[in-house]
Amino acid sequence: MLVHARDGGFDLFIDGRAILRHRPDAPCLFLGRGVERMEMYRGNFDIEDYVVERVPLAHAVVTASEDGWRIDCAAAPGSPIRLTLIVSGDGANGTIAIQSHDPGANRFWLRLVAEAGEHLWGGGEQMSYLDLAGRRFPLWTSEPGVGRDKTTAVTFEADRTGRAGGDYYNTNYPQPTYLSSRRYALHVETAAYSVFDFRHGAFHEIEVWAMPERIELFARPTIADLVTAMADRFGRQPRLPDWALEGAIIGLKAGEQSFQRLERYIAAGVRVCGLWCEDWVGLRQTSFGKRLFWDWQANDSRYPDLKRRIADLAARGIRFLGYVNPYLCNDGPLFAEAETRGFLATTAEGATYLVDFGEFDCGVVDFTIPEACRWFEDQIIGENMIDLGLAGWMADFGEYLPIDLELKSGADAKLMHNAWPVLWGAVNARAIAKKGRTGDIVFFMRAGYSGIQAECPLLWAGDQSVDFTRHDGLVTVIVGALSSGLLGNAYHHSDIGGYTSLFGNRRTAELLMRWAEMAAFTPVMRSHEGNRPDENLQIDQDEATLAHFARMTRVHAALKPYLQTLAGEAETMGLPLQRPLFLHHEDDARAFEIWDAYLLGRELLVAPVWQAGTNERGLYLPAGTDWIHLWTAERHRGGQDVEMTAPLGQPAVFYRADSSFGEVFKALAAL
Amino acid sequence: MLVHARDGGFDLFIDGRAILRHRPDAPCLFLGRGVERMEMYRGNFDIEDYVVERVPLAHAVVTASEDGWRIDCAAAPGSPIRLTLIVSGDGANGTIAIQSHDPGANRFWLRLVAEAGEHLWGGGEQMSYLDLAGRRFPLWTSEPGVGRDKTTAVTFEADRTGRAGGDYYNTNYPQPTYLSSRRYALHVETAAYSVFDFRHGAFHEIEVWAMPERIELFARPTIADLVTAMADRFGRQPRLPDWALEGAIIGLKAGEQSFQRLERYIAAGVRVCGLWCEDWVGLRQTSFGKRLFWDWQANDSRYPDLKRRIADLAARGIRFLGYVNPYLCNDGPLFAEAETRGFLATTAEGATYLVDFGEFDCGVVDFTIPEACRWFEDQIIGENMIDLGLAGWMADFGEYLPIDLELKSGADAKLMHNAWPVLWGAVNARAIAKKGRTGDIVFFMRAGYSGIQAECPLLWAGDQSVDFTRHDGLVTVIVGALSSGLLGNAYHHSDIGGYTSLFGNRRTAELLMRWAEMAAFTPVMRSHEGNRPDENLQIDQDEATLAHFARMTRVHAALKPYLQTLAGEAETMGLPLQRPLFLHHEDDARAFEIWDAYLLGRELLVAPVWQAGTNERGLYLPAGTDWIHLWTAERHRGGQDVEMTAPLGQPAVFYRADSSFGEVFKALAAL
C-alpha cells in the first residue's frame, strides 16, 4: 500500500494500482445520515432510503506513521475531523480501517478509481450477471425472487400476490467483495446493508448503511491468484467426500414410498449416491399445499423405522439426507423446549417473536446465545439427525432474519441480518465437527454472506423457476456458480429441473433433461421434486427423461477421478470446480465476455443449452489450445466462435487436446 | 411574514402559522448536487437521481432589513455562505427569494413544518390522490400512464410493451403548489423537476433540481379564500361561453360520415352544442391503427367542403371543433415551411430534431422563438382553424418536450420541459385573442403547469382507460377536477367513456352510462370515440346507451342557469365549478376525507357511481343543511353517512334544501 499526498488530496495505490484518488474538488469519501424504510414479506424486502445528509469530506490530511498512513478527513479546512482512515499493508494485502468521529453518521460512501473496460465480479452469489460492470447491486440477503424480471408475467404475478418477484440483484447470498480485472480484489468488512454501484464509469461507489470496520485490498498477478487470496481470506470448504461424486442424490418426498420409488431409479440404471427426503420430519397440510413440519426430528408415521432403513441403504452405498432450517414451528415440541430455555428471539416487549410462514408460525432460534447454538448443534443436529444416520441435509433459509426482533446479545437485528446465514452455517458445521464427520457429512445452503466459505461445504443455487428464463431459469445456476466460485466457494450445485412452479409455470421433459446434462458437469447432481410435485413432471414419470437422467449420472460418476483432482485444487489453491473461462485464459479478451459457459477445472469446457426448443449452441473456444468435442471427438482450434449441434444428451462440452485426463473424457461419449 | 432568530436558528411564520423551523441540529435547508438520469419513451419518463452531495445548511444568520429579513445560510459557522433567503411580505402574502452563492449546486431541499392530521392538496392536476398527505409526488409533466397501478395486468402490459404503465403521481399537469388545511398555500416558483414529499410526518420536504427563484406563501382565513388567492396568483379563465352549456359536444372521427352520425344523435333527443372531429386534418394509416395527419389544415378529401358544412351546423346552433398539437409531421407542408423559416427545435448538431411518434416523425415548433409563435398563432390557428369556422379544439400534448433538444433561446430543455404546456397554451390563447374571440372559442388541454390557469379556458382530464379502475378509470376524473380546481382551474371535463383501450380492455355500456351521468354534472359534456373506435362500444351503437346519454344531455342543458351562476363565481372569486366538500364545509372534519364525491357549486352534491356492477353508492352528507335527493326528492339530514340506491341514470346527487335553485334542480328528475 502506498499513499501519496497530492494536490491537496491524496492517491492510494496497492502494488501500483490506483485505488483511491482524492482531491478537494473531487473527493472520494462522503459521510452522512439516512433513514431507511425496510419491510419484509416472507423473505422479500422492500427497501428505500431517505438520505438526510451526504457530505463530501473534501479536506483530507495525510500523516505517515510507522505502520502506514493516517488520513484525517473533514468537510472543509478548519471543520471538525469526521472520519479517519488508517492505511496499512504491503503490495499484496492492504487494509483501510475506518474510524468515525461522528456518532450521528450512519451512511458511508467511498469512490474507487475505475478504468475503461474494467470487468468486475463477485458481490456474493449473483444469479443474473457475472460481470457487475454498469449496474448497481444492493447487498442484502433475501429471497432472490420468482421470475426476477419485471417484464415477465411470472414476475408480475409474484409481485402482485406476494411482493415476491425480485430483481436481478436479489440473492440469498450477497457479499460486499469484488474482484477487478485490474487484478485486485476489494472487501468491505461490515454486516450492514451495502451497495456496490458500478454504473458511473469514472468511478465505482461503495455505499454502506453503517460505518464499515475496514476495507481490505488484495493485489495479485493473476485472477487465479486473487481467487486463492479470497479462499485464504474467507475460508476453505472441507474436501467433498468421494461418496457425493459417485452418482446422483435423488430428491423424493413421498414418505416411505420414497424408498420404493428410489428402486425404480436404480432399476433404470441411475447411479445413486444418496436419497434425499426433506419430508423426513413429516408434513403439514395448508391451503397452499403440503409443507414440511418444522420440528427437526424423524417423523415415525411418515417414515416408520427410519434408522433401520437408513442403515439398509448405507449397506448398499447409498446415503440418506434430510432437511433442517433455523426455525421451529410453535406447534412442535422443540419450540416449547427452546422457548422454555430462552433460546428464541423476542419482540421488543420480550414476547417470543413469531414469524408467519403461511398458516403456521415459527420461533427464531437466537444464534447469538452460545447455549442455544450448542443445543441446536448437539440435540437437534447431533442426536436427531447425525445419530439417526443422516449423511447430509439441506440447511435451508438463513436469509429471513426479521429486522425488528430482539437478540439476546443486544446486537441490532438490522446489522445481524446479513451475518445470519454465516451463524446458521457455523451451527451446522460445528455440529458435524463435534461428531468428527467433517468432510464426510455434507450439508448444502443457499444463503450466505462473507465467511460462509469457511462453514458451508456445498452451495446450492436456491429456488430457480422451472423454466429456461434468463433471470430465474437454468442459466442462472451458471452465473451463481461462477460468481460465488470467484469468492472462494469451490462447490456449487442446483435443483435439477428447478424448484418454483407458480402461476401455471410447469416443468417440461426438455427442461429436466437440459438441467440434468448440465448438472452432470458440476460437482454434485441432485434432483428435487419441486414445490408442487403433483403438478410437475418428475424424472421417474417419463421413460425418456429417466433414461436420459440415468445416462447423465453415469457420465457424472465417470468424472469422479477428474473431480477428485479438482477437489484437490480446491483444497490447495482454493479454486472452485466451476470456473469462468478467463480464469485460465487471462490473455484472451473474448474469454472475459463469457458468462453462460464455464470451465470445469482447467480441462473441460461446458456450454449448456439453456434455452428451450433449440439443438444449437454457439460458444467461444478460448485461444491457446485445441478443443476436442466430447461427443464427436471433433477437434476445434481455440480462439474462435463455433456453432455446435447440441441435441438432448449432448450439451456442448469440450476438453483440451492436451489434457492428461483425455482417456477419462473420451470414455464419456460411450456411456 | 415574521422571522424570529431563536436557539441559534430561526422560526418563520405567516399570519401566526409556523412554516419554517430551523435549528443547528435540525436544519430546514439542504443544498447539494445531483446527476440525474432521464429517459423519455413517447412521453413516459424513467427518471433517477444520483445525489452526489446533500449538505445541511446548519448555520443560519438572520438580519432584519427594512423590507423584511435576510437569512444567510452556511454548512457551519465560519464556512462560506452558500445560500441566502430574502424574506418579505405581510400576513397574507409572503415571499422567500432564493439566492445561491454556490454555482455548482443544483439540488435544493426545504423542510416545512408539518402538523399531525394536516391535509394537503394540489400538486397540479393529480389523478389518484386528492389529499397528498403521506405520499411523495414528483412534479414533471408527462404521460400519466396506462393503468397507473403496478398490481394490474393492464399496467404491467403497458410497462412491458412501452414503459407506459405510469404510477399514482404521473400527470399531464403537475404544479409545485400546495394548499394546507392549516389555511396556507405554498408555491415554488421554478420550472425544474421538483418533488413534494409528504411522507415524513414531522415535516414536509420540497426538493428542486435547480435553485428555485422563490417560495411564495399565502395565508387566508378559509380554504375558499386560499383558492381565490390561487386564482389571483395564477390567472383566471375566460368565462365559459353559454353555447358550451347547452348540450354535449359529440366526438366523432368518421370523416364526412360524422355529419350523418350526428343526425342520429339529434334524432334520439341528444342536446348537441358541438361536433368535435379530431380527424378534420385527415388520417394516416400505421400498423398501430389510424392516426391523425399532424399537419394542421383541413383535409378536403376526408371533409369535403368543410367550411360550408361548419356554417350549416352553426346556423342550427351547433359548433364545430377540431384538433391541434405543437408538432408537425415531416411529410406535411407545414413542416417544410417551419423548417425553412427556422421555427423548429434542433439537435445539438443543428439538425432539425425529429420525434418518433410511431411510424411517423415530427418536428417540434420552438415556442421560444417569438416569430414561430406568431406563425403558429396567425397562420395555423388563425387562418387554418378560426377562419375556417372552428369554435374550439383539443390542444393536445404539451408534456412531451424532449429534454435533449436545443431551443433558439438557449434555455435548457430540461428547464423548459415543465414550462412547455404553458407556452403551448399561450399560443392558443393569443391566437384566439387576436381574433377577438376570447370567451367564445374554447380549446381544451390536458397538459399544464404553473400559469396554465391564465391561458387555458378548459382542462380535460386526459386519457383515462375505458374502465372503472381506481387509478386510471372514471373516478380519476373527479380527483383531477378537484385537485386542479383548488389551484384556480375553474373548468374541467373529460372524455365520456374514457379513451385508452389496450390489452383487451374494452368499453362497456355500463361504463359509458356511468360516465355520461357524471359528466352531466360537470361544466362540459363531451364524448370521445376512444383510441380504438372499431373495437369499442360507441354511444350511438346501443339504443339504451343512446337514450341514457340523450337524457343526461337534457339534464346538463337544464343546469345552464345554475352553471352560468357558477361561471360568475369563477370570474369573481376564482372558485372552480367542481369543489371538494370541505370548500363549503370547513367545520365538518368528515368533509376532509371525501375525494370521490364533489360539490358542483355550493348547492349540488354529486357522488357518481364509479365502480362496476353496483346500484349502490355510499356517501357522506355534510352537516349544516338538509339535502334533497335529486331523483326521489327525499330529504336527508346533513352530517350523516347514507347508502343510496343509484341505478343507471340515477347517480347519487343531492341539492341543499335551502337552495335558491331548488326549482331548477327539482325539474331535472322529470327529464
Side-chain angles (χ1 to χ4, degrees), chain B residues 515-534:
Chain B
W515 212 303
E517 69 194 39
M518 172 176 72
F521 296 95
T522 67
V524 170
M525 288 186 84
R526 179 181 50 79
S527 67
H528 198 309
E529 292 193 356
N531 68 320
R532 294 187 170 177
D534 300 341

Side-chain angles (χ1 to χ4, degrees), chain A residues 25 27 30 33 37 48-56 76 79 111 136 149-156 160 197 199-200 203 205, chain B residues 25 27 30 33 37 48-56 76 79 111 136 149-156 160 197 199-200 203 205:
Chain A
D25 59 347
F30 300 80
R33 280 187 312 121
R37 184 180 62 76
E48 193 178 20
D49 199 22
Y50 166 53
V51 176
V52 178
E53 180 180 338
R54 177 178 156 127
V55 176
S79 293
R111 289 182 173 182
R136 182 177 186 270
D149 176 348
K150 299 305 185 197
T151 69
T152 69
V154 164
T155 308
F156 168 69
R160 193 180 64 79
D197 189 348
R199 296 172 305 175
H200 295 287
F203 55 88
E205 188 169 285
Chain B
D25 60 348
F30 301 80
R33 280 188 313 121
R37 183 179 63 76
E48 193 178 20
D49 199 21
Y50 166 52
V51 175
V52 178
E53 181 179 338
R54 178 178 156 126
V55 176
S79 294
R111 288 182 174 183
R136 182 176 186 272
D149 176 348
K150 299 305 184 197
T151 69
T152 68
V154 164
T155 308
F156 168 69
R160 193 179 65 77
D197 189 348
R199 295 172 305 175
H200 296 288
F203 55 87
E205 189 168 286

